[in-house]
Every structure is written in structure tokens, then in C-alpha cells.
Amino acid sequence: MIKIAAIQTDIDPGNKEKNLSTAIKKIKEAVNQKASIICLSELFNTGYMPEEMHNLAEKDGETIKLLTETAREYNVNILAGSIAEKDNSNVFNKSYIINSKGHIAGHYCKTHLFPLMGEDRSFVCGNRISVVKLEECTIGPMICYDIRFPEIARTLALKGAELLSIPAAFPSPRLNHWRILLQARAVENQLYAVAVNRVGSDRTGNYFGHSMIIDPWGEILCEAGEGEEVIYGEIEINNINKVRNKIPCFQDRRKDLYEMKTENDR
């Protein structure tokens, strides 16, 4: 069994020092509860401030350096939500997966940017989807708005993902969408999902939390409320094969029908 912790916090916009202090405090709390994989939310260190993301974005890796040191010290895997990271003049919404030895096992740049909150004006979208292997399981990283695109979750599942990692800043009033979409991504791909939403409010909206861990049947193993909270769930990777053997969706896929065809192919 793998014990997972999802850290749901109220992010103070732009206050990196305070937000990082809160994250480290909660990580230590999760370590004390014997969690081996600890998950943070989207832009957990700064929050989303559209007009200031270029200035808030990091280029020297200070947040990730702190988290790699923490992972190594406590021998714990950290799915490091996401941070704004600068590459020359481009700013990416980037998620890091850090293993228990304190090494960066992989990363993912958000590929779908939410236009209603102006993310497409604040960030450059990523162009790569891949899984990240930890000792405990294989992670499929996504971020927030990505859950509305079933193609990305299916691609990760086909690449071997066993746990979808979904940090988010999913705003009110779309709690029903949040829950339905997360359960759908888990049940249709027959894998686990951990989704970590923030709480509180900022200039762009209000955030309802309800972080959750979901099993391959689409059942919610645990769910947070609307305040700061750390939730815990235990997952058993062998259950994935049991579910897939019982309902063989992957075996029954009609790949011959799914290929996109152009007018010239018809």
C-alpha cells in the first residue's frame, strides 16, 4: 500500500515566503503521518496573479531547490504542484516530480491554458506529455484545466501512468464539474487520481478546495472540505490490473477507428 497526502492550502497571492513556509510545515505534518507521496496544488508558492506572473516566475529554481532538500531530508516523494518558471522571455506553468532521494524525476509544463482567467496571456503552453517513474508507481502529470481534455489522461494511461497527479486552482462555482471530470478521468482510464485544489480567494476568483483521491473504479477514497486541510488515502497499484481484467476496456479499444483522418484520406 502507498499512503498519499494531498495538501490543500489558502495561498497568499505573491507572498512566496509565507506560502513556502506553509507548504513545508504541511509536508512535515504529512511525513509524520507516514505518507510516502505528498502532493501540492497549482502555483502553490505564489498563486495566480496574471499581471505579475513574469516578475514572480523563477529562473534560479529556489522553490524546487527547497523541495528537493526537503524530499531528501525526509525520504519522501513530492509531487510539487506547479510553479511559474521563466525560460528566457517565456513563462511556463510547470509541475515537478521529486523522488525520495531529492532528485527531480521529471517535470511537466501545462499544455492547456485556461482563457477565461487569461492564462494564455500569462504563460506559454507546454508541448510534451510523458509519464514519470517513481519507485512506488508511475505518475501521469496534468494541471487543472487539463482535466477537461480526456485525450491527455488517456495518452498518459497508454504510456503506463498508474496515478494521475492533478494540481489545480479550480474556481467556484464549478465544483460539480470538478468532481465529475476527475471521477471520469479515473474510471475511464482505470487508474488512480490525486487532485489537489487550493482554497481561499484572489483577484481572479474564489476556490472551493475539495481535493480528492480517487480509485480505478471512480470511487472517491477521501475528499477535503473548503478550508485548509491535509487529506490522506492509501492506494494499491495491483488493483489497477484487477479492474482492467474485470472490465477489459484497454484490450477492447478500437484503435483502427480512433485515428484522425483528413479529407484526402476519405
Short mmCIF file of all heavy atoms in Angstrom, two decimals, residues 187-218:
data_model
loop_
_atom_site.label_atom_id
_atom_site.label_comp_id
_atom_site.label_asym_id
_atom_site.label_seq_id
_atom_site.Cartn_x
_atom_site.Cartn_y
_atom_site.Cartn_z
N VAL A 187 -12.03 6.66 -13.83
CA VAL A 187 -12.76 5.43 -14.16
C VAL A 187 -12.58 5.04 -15.62
O VAL A 187 -12.47 3.85 -15.94
CB VAL A 187 -14.26 5.57 -13.79
CG1 VAL A 187 -15.00 6.47 -14.76
CG2 VAL A 187 -14.92 4.20 -13.73
N GLU A 188 -12.49 6.01 -16.53
CA GLU A 188 -12.36 5.65 -17.94
C GLU A 188 -10.97 5.12 -18.27
O GLU A 188 -10.80 4.38 -19.24
CB GLU A 188 -12.70 6.85 -18.84
CG GLU A 188 -11.68 7.97 -18.83
CD GLU A 188 -12.21 9.26 -19.44
OE1 GLU A 188 -13.38 9.29 -19.83
OE2 GLU A 188 -11.44 10.25 -19.49
N ASN A 189 -9.98 5.50 -17.45
CA ASN A 189 -8.62 5.03 -17.67
C ASN A 189 -8.20 3.96 -16.66
O ASN A 189 -7.08 3.48 -16.70
CB ASN A 189 -7.65 6.21 -17.62
CG ASN A 189 -7.83 7.14 -18.79
OD1 ASN A 189 -7.60 6.76 -19.93
ND2 ASN A 189 -8.29 8.36 -18.53
N GLN A 190 -9.09 3.65 -15.73
CA GLN A 190 -8.89 2.58 -14.77
C GLN A 190 -7.56 2.72 -14.04
O GLN A 190 -6.72 1.81 -14.01
CB GLN A 190 -9.01 1.23 -15.49
CG GLN A 190 -10.37 1.03 -16.15
CD GLN A 190 -10.46 -0.21 -17.00
OE1 GLN A 190 -9.60 -0.44 -17.85
NE2 GLN A 190 -11.47 -1.02 -16.80
N LEU A 191 -7.39 3.87 -13.42
CA LEU A 191 -6.20 4.16 -12.64
C LEU A 191 -6.57 5.07 -11.47
O LEU A 191 -7.73 5.46 -11.32
CB LEU A 191 -5.10 4.78 -13.51
CG LEU A 191 -5.45 5.86 -14.55
CD1 LEU A 191 -6.14 7.06 -13.98
CD2 LEU A 191 -4.21 6.27 -15.32
N TYR A 192 -5.59 5.38 -10.64
CA TYR A 192 -5.80 6.28 -9.51
C TYR A 192 -5.60 7.73 -9.95
O TYR A 192 -4.87 8.01 -10.92
CB TYR A 192 -4.83 5.96 -8.37
CG TYR A 192 -5.14 4.68 -7.64
CD1 TYR A 192 -4.52 3.49 -7.99
CD2 TYR A 192 -6.05 4.66 -6.58
CE1 TYR A 192 -4.79 2.31 -7.32
CE2 TYR A 192 -6.33 3.48 -5.90
CZ TYR A 192 -5.70 2.32 -6.27
OH TYR A 192 -5.98 1.15 -5.60
N ALA A 193 -6.22 8.64 -9.22
CA ALA A 193 -6.01 10.07 -9.45
C ALA A 193 -5.94 10.79 -8.12
O ALA A 193 -6.72 10.48 -7.20
CB ALA A 193 -7.13 10.66 -10.30
N VAL A 194 -4.99 11.70 -8.00
CA VAL A 194 -4.93 12.59 -6.84
C VAL A 194 -5.00 14.02 -7.37
O VAL A 194 -4.18 14.43 -8.20
CB VAL A 194 -3.67 12.36 -5.97
CG1 VAL A 194 -2.38 12.45 -6.79
CG2 VAL A 194 -3.64 13.35 -4.81
N ALA A 195 -6.01 14.75 -6.92
CA ALA A 195 -6.25 16.11 -7.39
C ALA A 195 -6.21 17.06 -6.20
O ALA A 195 -6.94 16.85 -5.22
CB ALA A 195 -7.60 16.19 -8.09
N VAL A 196 -5.36 18.06 -6.28
CA VAL A 196 -5.15 18.97 -5.16
C VAL A 196 -5.54 20.38 -5.59
O VAL A 196 -4.84 21.03 -6.37
CB VAL A 196 -3.69 18.96 -4.67
CG1 VAL A 196 -3.58 19.72 -3.35
CG2 VAL A 196 -3.19 17.54 -4.50
N ASN A 197 -6.66 20.85 -5.08
CA ASN A 197 -7.14 22.20 -5.37
C ASN A 197 -6.79 23.13 -4.21
O ASN A 197 -6.61 22.68 -3.08
CB ASN A 197 -8.66 22.18 -5.58
CG ASN A 197 -9.17 23.43 -6.27
OD1 ASN A 197 -8.43 24.12 -6.96
ND2 ASN A 197 -10.45 23.72 -6.10
N ARG A 198 -6.70 24.40 -4.51
CA ARG A 198 -6.45 25.38 -3.45
C ARG A 198 -7.78 25.87 -2.88
O ARG A 198 -8.86 25.56 -3.39
CB ARG A 198 -5.65 26.57 -3.98
CG ARG A 198 -6.35 27.38 -5.07
CD ARG A 198 -5.77 28.78 -5.19
NE ARG A 198 -6.03 29.55 -3.98
CZ ARG A 198 -5.75 30.85 -3.84
NH1 ARG A 198 -5.20 31.51 -4.84
NH2 ARG A 198 -6.01 31.49 -2.73
N VAL A 199 -7.71 26.63 -1.81
CA VAL A 199 -8.88 27.28 -1.23
C VAL A 199 -8.61 28.78 -1.12
O VAL A 199 -7.51 29.26 -1.43
CB VAL A 199 -9.24 26.70 0.16
CG1 VAL A 199 -9.63 25.25 0.05
CG2 VAL A 199 -8.07 26.85 1.14
N GLY A 200 -9.61 29.52 -0.66
CA GLY A 200 -9.46 30.96 -0.48
C GLY A 200 -9.88 31.73 -1.72
O GLY A 200 -10.65 31.26 -2.55
N SER A 201 -9.35 32.94 -1.85
CA SER A 201 -9.73 33.79 -2.98
C SER A 201 -8.58 34.72 -3.35
O SER A 201 -7.65 34.93 -2.57
CB SER A 201 -10.97 34.61 -2.63
OG SER A 201 -10.72 35.45 -1.52
N ASP A 202 -8.66 35.25 -4.57
CA ASP A 202 -7.73 36.27 -5.02
C ASP A 202 -8.47 37.15 -6.03
O ASP A 202 -9.70 37.07 -6.15
CB ASP A 202 -6.45 35.66 -5.62
CG ASP A 202 -6.74 34.72 -6.79
OD1 ASP A 202 -7.80 34.84 -7.43
OD2 ASP A 202 -5.88 33.86 -7.08
N ARG A 203 -7.73 37.97 -6.75
CA ARG A 203 -8.38 38.90 -7.69
C ARG A 203 -9.04 38.20 -8.86
O ARG A 203 -9.86 38.77 -9.56
CB ARG A 203 -7.35 39.91 -8.21
CG ARG A 203 -7.07 41.03 -7.22
CD ARG A 203 -5.90 41.88 -7.69
NE ARG A 203 -4.62 41.29 -7.33
CZ ARG A 203 -3.45 41.80 -7.65
NH1 ARG A 203 -3.38 42.91 -8.36
NH2 ARG A 203 -2.33 41.21 -7.28
N THR A 204 -8.69 36.95 -9.10
CA THR A 204 -9.25 36.24 -10.26
C THR A 204 -10.43 35.35 -9.90
O THR A 204 -11.14 34.90 -10.80
CB THR A 204 -8.17 35.38 -10.96
OG1 THR A 204 -7.65 34.44 -10.02
CG2 THR A 204 -7.05 36.27 -11.47
N GLY A 205 -10.63 35.05 -8.61
CA GLY A 205 -11.77 34.21 -8.27
C GLY A 205 -11.71 33.63 -6.86
O GLY A 205 -10.80 33.93 -6.07
N ASN A 206 -12.70 32.79 -6.57
CA ASN A 206 -12.77 32.07 -5.30
C ASN A 206 -12.55 30.58 -5.59
O ASN A 206 -12.95 30.07 -6.64
CB ASN A 206 -14.15 32.26 -4.66
CG ASN A 206 -14.45 33.72 -4.38
OD1 ASN A 206 -13.66 34.41 -3.74
ND2 ASN A 206 -15.59 34.20 -4.85
N TYR A 207 -11.94 29.89 -4.64
CA TYR A 207 -11.54 28.50 -4.85
C TYR A 207 -12.13 27.62 -3.76
O TYR A 207 -12.01 27.94 -2.58
CB TYR A 207 -10.02 28.39 -4.89
CG TYR A 207 -9.41 29.32 -5.91
CD1 TYR A 207 -9.02 30.61 -5.56
CD2 TYR A 207 -9.28 28.95 -7.24
CE1 TYR A 207 -8.49 31.48 -6.51
CE2 TYR A 207 -8.76 29.80 -8.19
CZ TYR A 207 -8.37 31.08 -7.81
OH TYR A 207 -7.86 31.94 -8.75
N PHE A 208 -12.75 26.51 -4.17
CA PHE A 208 -13.57 25.72 -3.25
C PHE A 208 -12.86 24.52 -2.65
O PHE A 208 -13.45 23.78 -1.86
CB PHE A 208 -14.84 25.25 -3.96
CG PHE A 208 -14.60 24.55 -5.28
CD1 PHE A 208 -14.05 23.28 -5.34
CD2 PHE A 208 -14.93 25.18 -6.47
CE1 PHE A 208 -13.83 22.65 -6.55
CE2 PHE A 208 -14.72 24.56 -7.69
CZ PHE A 208 -14.17 23.28 -7.73
N GLY A 209 -11.61 24.27 -3.00
CA GLY A 209 -10.91 23.12 -2.43
C GLY A 209 -11.45 21.79 -2.94
O GLY A 209 -11.45 21.52 -4.12
N HIS A 210 -11.91 20.94 -2.02
CA HIS A 210 -12.42 19.60 -2.35
C HIS A 210 -11.36 18.77 -3.09
O HIS A 210 -11.67 18.09 -4.06
CB HIS A 210 -13.72 19.68 -3.14
CG HIS A 210 -14.91 20.04 -2.28
ND1 HIS A 210 -15.67 19.10 -1.63
CD2 HIS A 210 -15.41 21.26 -1.94
CE1 HIS A 210 -16.62 19.72 -0.93
NE2 HIS A 210 -16.48 21.02 -1.10
N SER A 211 -10.13 18.87 -2.61
CA SER A 211 -9.09 17.96 -3.10
C SER A 211 -9.54 16.53 -2.85
O SER A 211 -10.29 16.27 -1.90
CB SER A 211 -7.77 18.22 -2.37
OG SER A 211 -7.35 19.55 -2.57
N MET A 212 -9.12 15.61 -3.70
CA MET A 212 -9.58 14.24 -3.53
C MET A 212 -8.61 13.22 -4.12
O MET A 212 -7.80 13.54 -4.98
CB MET A 212 -10.98 14.06 -4.12
CG MET A 212 -11.11 14.38 -5.59
SD MET A 212 -12.86 14.32 -6.15
CE MET A 212 -13.50 15.85 -5.46
N ILE A 213 -8.74 12.01 -3.62
CA ILE A 213 -8.01 10.86 -4.14
C ILE A 213 -9.06 9.86 -4.61
O ILE A 213 -9.99 9.53 -3.86
CB ILE A 213 -7.07 10.25 -3.09
CG1 ILE A 213 -6.04 11.31 -2.63
CG2 ILE A 213 -6.36 9.01 -3.63
CD1 ILE A 213 -5.21 10.89 -1.43
N ILE A 214 -8.92 9.37 -5.84
CA ILE A 214 -9.94 8.56 -6.49
C ILE A 214 -9.33 7.24 -6.95
O ILE A 214 -8.19 7.21 -7.43
CB ILE A 214 -10.53 9.32 -7.70
CG1 ILE A 214 -11.05 10.69 -7.24
CG2 ILE A 214 -11.64 8.53 -8.38
CD1 ILE A 214 -11.38 11.61 -8.38
N ASP A 215 -10.09 6.16 -6.83
CA ASP A 215 -9.55 4.85 -7.22
C ASP A 215 -9.94 4.49 -8.65
O ASP A 215 -10.69 5.23 -9.31
CB ASP A 215 -9.96 3.78 -6.20
CG ASP A 215 -11.41 3.32 -6.34
OD1 ASP A 215 -12.11 3.72 -7.30
OD2 ASP A 215 -11.85 2.53 -5.48
N PRO A 216 -9.46 3.34 -9.17
CA PRO A 216 -9.71 2.99 -10.58
C PRO A 216 -11.18 2.69 -10.91
O PRO A 216 -11.54 2.61 -12.08
CB PRO A 216 -8.84 1.74 -10.80
CG PRO A 216 -7.77 1.85 -9.77
CD PRO A 216 -8.43 2.46 -8.59
N TRP A 217 -12.01 2.50 -9.89
CA TRP A 217 -13.46 2.34 -10.12
C TRP A 217 -14.17 3.69 -10.17
O TRP A 217 -15.39 3.74 -10.34
CB TRP A 217 -14.08 1.49 -9.02
CG TRP A 217 -13.76 0.03 -9.08
CD1 TRP A 217 -13.02 -0.69 -8.18
CD2 TRP A 217 -14.15 -0.91 -10.09
NE1 TRP A 217 -12.93 -2.00 -8.57
CE2 TRP A 217 -13.61 -2.16 -9.74
CE3 TRP A 217 -14.90 -0.79 -11.27
CZ2 TRP A 217 -13.81 -3.30 -10.52
CZ3 TRP A 217 -15.09 -1.93 -12.04
CH2 TRP A 217 -14.56 -3.16 -11.66
N GLY A 218 -13.42 4.76 -9.94
CA GLY A 218 -14.02 6.09 -9.89
C GLY A 218 -14.57 6.45 -8.53
O GLY A 218 -15.24 7.48 -8.37
#
